[in-house]
Amino acid sequence: MNMFYNKEGIGDTLIITLSSTERDDKAVERNGNVARIYSKETNKTIGYNVFDFTTIDQIETAGVVDGNEELISSINTVIKENGFTDELTFDASPKFVVGFVEEMEKHPNADKLNICQVNVGEEKLQIVCGAPNVGEGQKVVVAKVGAVMPSGMIIKDASLRGVESTGMICSARELDLPDAPQEKGILVLPDDYEIGSEFKAY
């Protein structure tokens, strides 16, 4: 789940994204101050727009909103008061973690892409990676789905040339690390990093 708020840019509306779908598969239903965005094909909720948000809570900064239990509880109350049944959950787990590339194979439909099976502690993620230096046995930084990159890009589930990819293996430059090399390539971590632990840039 990602949340975005910019009163000056888009008005007093909190935008909540739960998942993604093709643009032409989206539909909207609105009750009162809440609009539900959903997939026409599956009826799965993709996100919500909550209008007149300052009547619910105050957000002082513009951009990506860091959630907390109190804010999510307030949003759930408003969603239910306006006739919807979804309940949002607060996820405090780290979004940048240390991963271990257990397996790698060439992408069947793209010469420069590899399909990696990456152990991130409690689960294994399939991540399609185009870095020239990625390889089995490496410890790497993984941006999980929902992570917000320093550039502002939000990591989402994706399909790359027909292969599902969950998360991203990061380069030092993508992480905005000081003195990051400019050439293409992921950041390979030393062996003493613990698989599944949170990666902190500073």
Side-chain angles (χ1 to χ4, degrees):
M1 177 178 65
N2 298 105
M3 298 186 289
F4 183 88
Y5 183 81
N6 185 342
K7 188 174 183 180
E8 296 299 321
I10 59 175
D12 190 14
T13 302
L14 180 71
I15 298 173
I16 304 166
T17 303
L18 302 176
S19 62
S20 60
T21 189
E22 299 297 328
R23 184 181 296 272
D24 58 3
D25 183 42
K26 291 181 180 179
V28 178
E29 58 175 326
R30 179 168 176 173
N31 293 334
N33 278 350
V34 177
R36 172 180 174 254
I37 300 92
Y38 64 96
S39 163
K40 290 185 288 187
E41 181 179 345
T42 66
N43 198 37
K44 178 181 177 182
T45 300
I46 301 166
Y48 281 98
N49 290 347
V50 182
F51 304 101
D52 296 329
F53 190 73
T54 51
T55 63
I56 303 164
D57 208 331
Q58 299 292 322
I59 297 177
E60 302 300 331
T61 59
V64 176
V65 177
D66 292 326
N68 56 61
E69 290 187 11
E70 183 178 353
L71 176 60
I72 299 302
S73 178
S74 297
I75 294 169
N76 280 330
T77 298
V78 172
I79 287 175
K80 290 179 181 179
E81 286 177 348
N82 284 274
F84 297 104
T85 58
D86 290 305
E87 183 164 342
L88 310 184
T89 56
F90 175 57
D91 179 10
S93 63
K95 296 303 181 185
F96 293 91
V97 298
V98 177
F100 180 74
V101 183
E102 293 186 344
E103 302 173 50
M104 187 181 79
E105 61 179 318
K106 297 297 293 182
H107 192 297
N109 303 317
D111 292 339
K112 294 183 179 181
L113 297 179
N114 292 291
I115 304 169
C116 301
Q117 306 300 326
V118 186
N119 181 347
V120 293
E122 296 184 354
E123 60 183 333
K124 185 185 292 185
L125 303 178
Q126 177 170 285
I127 301 176
V128 177
C129 180
N133 65 327
V134 66
E136 290 183 2
Q138 294 173 335
K139 288 187 176 179
V140 296
V141 180
V142 173
K144 299 174 71 175
V145 170
V148 180
M149 302 300 293
S151 66
M153 180 178 71
I154 299 172
I155 302 301
K156 301 177 181 180
D157 286 320
S159 178
L160 301 176
R161 298 286 185 91
V163 175
E164 297 303 310
S165 182
T166 302
M168 184 175 78
I169 301 176
C170 303
S171 69
R173 184 169 59 175
E174 288 165 335
L175 294 167
D176 198 25
L177 298 181
D179 301 320
Q182 295 305 302
E183 62 268 17
K184 290 184 178 180
I186 57 166
L187 175 64
V188 179
L189 299 172
D191 286 339
D192 58 353
Y193 277 79
E194 181 182 352
I195 296 170
S197 63
E198 182 177 9
F199 178 81
K200 296 182 179 180
Y202 304 104

